[in-house]
């Protein structure tokens, strides 16, 4: 009996800690203007707000499930679980989807489909509350599983489309990719499905608390290390018509205004900025790269790799003491990891192998 009481106290304390973490994380995102994780990055305000609301919902989940620790009547426990399940379906689940949508910044996806998707769950839970019965649970379990699978398929497609959009518009992809983030949120959806289907046993409760802690920490870090791209999206909304003489002369314009003055060395040079520099617009420049069988990202990084090769040969010829990392930064790359990936993709070998060949 004593051991059981001590375990219950420990669990309640851990329960309170997770609740406090969620509240503090939401307050941080809502009220702190600076970025404690990456001071040089401006995260998306919209994503910050949706994630803060998700954290609030996680805290509320721990609040409205608290009465279950003190109820003894089976009918009261069932009714409380039904009410809490309906509240979960109205908060945690739709807000999780909203966070996933907000991470993809190529366009603003409508949020009304989220309400349509979750409405059957809420209606089913409300009917169960009125009837004080869990008879509808099997039907809702099947619907939730199908909904989770459908959302994952949709997000896989949208994340791939978002990746293509990034490569078509940005030379530097640091702090922009969301594939890893999507995987975490997809796991979160699956956890929600598991949570709705099976919610018995202390091991399950401890697992849910552990998952909540990891999720809060990871989402907080991910939101603060994701760059805000909404400004560039808004800049590209209007595409003025240009004379054919300019549209058909993009290749020479790139040579004159980008390659010769080495504009590609500018960090985080976007497609819109390059289009403005050469006197065209984003749409025609994007079409030009597409007709050439490349993306904007490939074009800029190929120029940077060539620049790096020339710098490396010059420094080795004059026996200067400069590292490859320094030369990569001088060639326009913001991180050595991005440079390494681009180098191997273009040259067909790693940086180490190429250096060995040059030395031989």
């Amino acid at each position: 009996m004593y051991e059981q009481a001590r375990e219950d106290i420990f669990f309640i304390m851990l329960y309170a800690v997770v609740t406090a973490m969620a509240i503090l994380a939401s307050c941080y995102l809502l009220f702190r203007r600076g970025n404690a994780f990456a001071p040089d990055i401006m995260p998306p305000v919209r994503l910050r707000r949706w994630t803060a609301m998700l954290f609030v919902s996680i805290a509320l989940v721990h609040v409205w499930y608290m009465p279950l620790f003190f109820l003894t009547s089976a009918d009261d426990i069932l009714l409380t679980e039904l009410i809490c399940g309906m509240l979960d379906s109205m908060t945690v689940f739709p807000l999780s989807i909203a966070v996933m949508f907000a991470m993809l910044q190529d366009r603003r996806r409508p949020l009304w489909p989220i309400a349509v998707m979750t409405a059957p769950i809420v209606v089913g839970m409300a009917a169960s509350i009125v009837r004080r019965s869990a008879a509808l649970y099997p039907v809702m379990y099947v619907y939730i599983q199908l909904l989770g699978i459908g959302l994952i398929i949709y997000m896989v497609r949208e994340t791939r489309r978002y990746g293509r959009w990034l490569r078509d518009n940005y030379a530097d992809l640091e702090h922009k990719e969301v594939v890893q983030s999507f995987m975490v949120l997809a796991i979160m959806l699956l956890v929600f499905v598991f949570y709705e289907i099976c919610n018995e046993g202390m091991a399950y409760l401890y697992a849910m608390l552990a998952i909540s802690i990891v999720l809060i920490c990871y989402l907080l870090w991910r939101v603060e290390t994701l760059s805000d791209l909404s400004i560039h999206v808004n800049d590209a909304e209007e595409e003025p018509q240009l004379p054919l003489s300019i549209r058909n002369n993009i290749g020479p314009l790139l040579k004159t205004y980008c390659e010769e003055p080495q504009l590609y060395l500018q960090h985080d040079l976007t497609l819109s900025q390059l289009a403005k520099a050469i006197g065209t617009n984003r749409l025609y420049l994007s079409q030009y790269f597409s007709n050439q069988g490349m993306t904007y990202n490939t074009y800029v990084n190929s120029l940077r790799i060539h620049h790096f090769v020339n710098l490396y040969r010059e420094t080795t010829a004059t026996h200067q003491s400069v590292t490859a990392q320094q030369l990569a930064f001088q060639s326009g790359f913001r991180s050595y990891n991005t440079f390494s990936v681009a180098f191997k993709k273009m040259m067909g070998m790693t940086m180490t192998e190429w250096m060995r060949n040059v030395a031989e």
Side-chain angles (χ1 to χ4, degrees), residues 242-294:
L242 297 174
L244 284 173
S245 58
I246 295 180
R247 279 186 276 171
N248 297 333
N249 203 36
I250 291 180
L253 289 173
L254 285 172
K255 185 174 180 61
T256 302
Y257 295 101
C258 176
E259 298 172 19
E260 292 179 355
Q262 298 181 339
L263 183 64
Y264 53 84
L265 297 181
Q266 176 182 324
H267 293 308
D268 213 9
L269 179 68
T270 67
L271 179 74
S272 298
Q273 292 170 338
L274 179 58
K276 185 177 180 180
I278 69 174
T280 183
N281 63 45
R282 184 190 63 86
L283 178 61
Y284 295 135
L285 186 55
S286 179
Q287 290 176 346
Y288 170 81
F289 289 131
S290 179
N291 293 335
Q292 299 297 314
M294 68 174 73

Side-chain angles (χ1 to χ4, degrees), residues 331-346:
S331 301
F333 290 95
R334 297 187 65 175
S335 76
Y336 188 73
N337 181 61
T338 301
F339 161 75
S340 299
V341 173
F343 188 93
K344 184 176 181 180
K345 183 178 180 181
M346 178 178 172

Side-chain angles (χ1 to χ4, degrees), residues 181-252:
S181 308
F182 162 69
M183 293 303 298
V184 172
L185 292 174
I187 294 173
M188 182 173 66
L189 281 176
L190 294 177
V191 168
F192 179 83
V193 172
F194 172 73
Y195 158 75
E196 288 291 335
I197 295 175
C198 174
N199 56 359
E200 297 180 356
M202 289 302 296
Y204 161 81
L205 295 176
Y206 277 113
M208 292 304 298
L209 289 178
I211 291 171
S212 297
I213 293 173
V214 173
L215 185 63
I216 292 170
C217 295
Y218 181 83
L219 271 181
L220 191 61
W221 170 82
R222 176 69 279 187
V223 169
E224 293 294 77
T225 55
L226 193 64
S227 295
D228 185 5
L229 309 181
S230 59
I231 298 176
H232 303 304
V233 173
N234 294 334
D235 288 344
E237 287 179 353
E238 295 184 2
E239 299 291 354
Q241 294 294 321
L242 297 174
L244 284 173
S245 58
I246 295 180
R247 279 186 276 171
N248 297 333
N249 203 36
I250 291 180

